[in-house]
Amino acid sequence: MRVPRPRRVRTRLALLYVVLSTLSGAVLLGILYLLFLHSSRSTFRMLVNRPGDQGGGDPLPTMLDMFSAHRAEDEARRQEELQQLLTQSGIALAIMAVLSLAVSWVVAGRVLRPLRAMTATVQRISARNLHQRLAADGPADELKDLSDTIDGLLARLEAAMDAHKRFVANAAHELRTPLTLEHALIEETLMDEDADVPEFRASFERVLEVCRQQGRLLESLLTLTTGERGLDRREPVDLADRAERSLAAAGSEARRRGLRLDAGLAPAGTEGDPELVDRLIANLLDNALSYNVPGGWVRLTTEIRNGRPVVTVANTGEPVPADRVGLIFEPFQRLDRSRGRDGHHGLGLSIVRAVATAHGAAVDARARPDGGLRVEISFPSARGRVTA
């Protein structure tokens, strides 16, 4: 039958202290008992081996006779003293066990008091007061480290919650705008009593384009969520092969905008989700093509640098303040230069960052001195290199 263990940490600590104290006392009493026994036998040997008197005659037979006469009495007395020692030691050990139980209970409570305070504080923290911290004071020990770790976790949760709230608010705004536009287009057409079939067709085409924009927005949101969740699968991926596919898809858009599309593709093997890598490269190209200048260029390269596969997209464009480059990687956060262009919702580079993070890749974006951006994604090296 399994004996249930006490669930409370304080009880377990107190019992542990008592057991250790009792065992230590028992070992100490055992050592004292052995020393006392050894001392009694040493005294007897000294009496037997005492040298004779100087007056003549050998005293050894006399001492042996005396010892033989009192041997039974001395042995009984010694056994009685040992028994008394064991009895008194056992009583003292029992008293010490009871006292150590009380002391251990108090000491365990004082040791666990900071933990109880931290537990009560954490239980009071919810989504409404994530700003609250444990802020434990005292020496730099394990409990202080635990408190600081929990405070760091709460800070990250607060930042994530704030980012989530901003994301939801921005997504609601982005979804509400096309719905309002659809409603206005349909209402305008219905209120026009003289509207004919061509006017209805034109209104429906505009509504259809708004629906396409909504579909692209929802698809971008799903991709962003997938990238932030992490990878469901990993397989060998050649960045050069994926980049070539994206270049083929972006060629017509580059010609339509009158932009030069260059490429320098070298084998660069990594591991990850091929579909997400495709979306990452496609979004980099789409961003570079959309926010460019007439007669500009876009260059896509893949290579192995310092043992890591790297994909880089550089483009001409309008000047970007260096201190605001990081802003364009936030969801729905767009610079003034990018508002209202081609139905973009400010999610392209956010998806790039989310996919890169899911793959353990590093993102380095820099503003070019003569305008435009240079975005570099450095992936982890693959266990088995992908050959071209």
Side-chain angles (χ1 to χ4, degrees), residues 18 94-104:
V18 171
I95 295 175
M96 288 300 301
V98 175
L99 292 178
S100 64
L101 177 61
V103 173
S104 299

Side-chain angles (χ1 to χ4, degrees), residues 29 32-37 78-92:
L29 292 178
L32 292 176
Y33 177 80
L34 293 176
L35 290 176
F36 180 80
L37 183 61
R78 190 167 67 88
Q79 292 296 331
E80 183 179 357
E81 291 176 354
L82 289 175
Q83 186 65 31
Q84 290 180 358
L85 175 63
L86 290 177
T87 303
Q88 295 173 0
S89 300
I91 295 174

Side-chain angles (χ1 to χ4, degrees), residues 1-9 11-12 15:
M1 180 178 180
R2 185 178 178 181
V3 179
R5 294 183 302 173
R7 296 183 178 181
R8 297 190 57 174
V9 177
T11 304
R12 294 201 296 268
L15 292 178

